[in-house]
Every structure is written in structure tokens, then in C-alpha cells.
């Protein structure tokens, strides 16, 4: 969870200063989160590369009309506090503009996909 928080903070801060890429530590969970962010249009893409003895994720940032694609990130769960949601409580954020990313027993997915699969889970973060 800590690697996801650190990486998303790096991405949001890099977009505020107008950077093109961000280098993050690699993990399988972060790779799945970045895949979701790419599919939803918050980042242009990402790739992983071996640097020395460790893997690194290179995230290609996205801008819309010279504004960052990621406006706000709200962390629902933290290492000391886990928040869970039932599938009936999942709704669209900001009229469908934002997404919520959940860790379910079927993998990491968005709130919309979890609602259609009728599965709840730990709410990791909301992104607008």
C-alpha cells in the first residue's frame, strides 16, 4: 500500500511542475494500478525497466489543454486504516469523471467494474 501512495504522490507532484515522466519503484500491485490509470485516461502509459538489480516503472504523464489529467487523489485506505465498501455502496464519482480503485478478491479494479461484478473490497484511493 505504501508503494502505491508514494508513487501516486510522485505522479501528482510531477504533473504540477509539468514533467513528462516519473520513475517509480516497481511492484505487481502498482503495475495493475497503472494499467487501470492508463485505461481510464489519467496517464498516457507506463513501462518497466531493469535498473541495476531492481525494476523501475517509468510513467508517461498526460495533460489535457495544458492542465494535468490528474486533478486530485484522495487516499481512502492507509497502512494504519483500511476502508471497505460493499458492492451496493459503490457509486460514480463526480458524475462519472472520477474513479475509485478497489482491491477485491477478484483483483484490483475500478468501482464501476466491481459494481457490475457485484463484489466489494478495500477502497484504495479515489482519483479525479
Amino acid at each position: 500500500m505504501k508503494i502505491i501512495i508514494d508513487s501516486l504522490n510522485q505522479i501528482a507532484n510531477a504533473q504540477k511542475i509539468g514533467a513528462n515522466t516519473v520513475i517509480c519503484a516497481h511492484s505487481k500491485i502498482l503495475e495493475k494500478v497503472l494499467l487501470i490509470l492508463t485505461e481510464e485516461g489519467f496517464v498516457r502509459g507506463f513501462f518497466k525497466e531493469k535498473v541495476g538489480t531492481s525494476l523501475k516503472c517509468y510513467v508517461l504523464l498526460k495533460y489535457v489543454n495544458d492542465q494535468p489529467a490528474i486533478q486530485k487523489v484522495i487516499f481512502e485506505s492507509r497502512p494504519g486504516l483500511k476502508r471497505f465498501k460493499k458492492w451496493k455502496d459503490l457509486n460514480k464519482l463526480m458524475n462519472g469523471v472520477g474513479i475509485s480503485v478497489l482491491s477485491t478478491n477478484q483483483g484490483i479494479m475500478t468501482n464501476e467494474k466491481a459494481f457490475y461484478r457485484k463484489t466489494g473490497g478495500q477502497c484504495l484511493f479515489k482519483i479525479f
Side-chain angles (χ1 to χ4, degrees):
M1 185 66 202
K2 187 177 183 317
I3 198 164
I4 295 172
I5 293 171
D6 291 342
S7 299
L8 287 176
N9 278 332
Q10 283 180 340
I11 291 169
N13 290 336
Q15 280 192 325
K16 288 178 184 175
I17 63 168
N20 288 327
T21 59
V22 175
I23 302 171
C24 302
H26 178 268
S27 73
K28 289 181 182 179
I29 294 174
L30 179 64
E31 192 173 337
K32 292 176 185 176
V33 167
L34 289 174
L35 185 64
I36 289 173
L37 293 179
T38 303
E39 289 171 354
E40 296 293 327
F42 289 103
V43 295
R44 285 189 297 156
F46 72 97
F47 61 94
K48 55 187 176 181
E49 187 175 287
K50 189 167 187 169
V51 177
T53 59
S54 63
L55 276 174
K56 299 286 183 184
C57 282
Y58 289 80
V59 182
L60 306 171
L61 303 178
K62 183 177 179 180
Y63 297 92
V64 179
N65 298 328
D66 292 334
Q67 295 294 321
I70 298 174
Q71 297 294 324
K72 192 172 187 180
V73 179
I74 300 171
F75 297 103
E76 289 285 315
S77 294
R78 298 185 303 269
L81 174 68
K82 294 182 180 178
R83 301 222 175 166
F84 294 90
K85 292 203 175 203
K86 297 177 183 177
W87 74 271
K88 292 180 181 179
D89 297 334
L90 297 174
N91 52 4
K92 291 190 176 186
L93 302 175
M94 291 182 64
N95 296 326
V97 174
I99 62 168
S100 180
V101 177
L102 289 97
S103 176
T104 67
N105 60 350
Q106 298 176 8
I108 294 179
M109 61 184 72
T110 63
N111 56 342
E112 191 173 338
K113 192 182 282 187
F115 181 79
Y116 288 121
R117 289 189 180 183
K118 294 186 179 180
T119 181
Q122 180 183 355
C123 185
L124 300 176
F125 62 91
K126 297 177 183 178
I127 192 164
F128 308 103

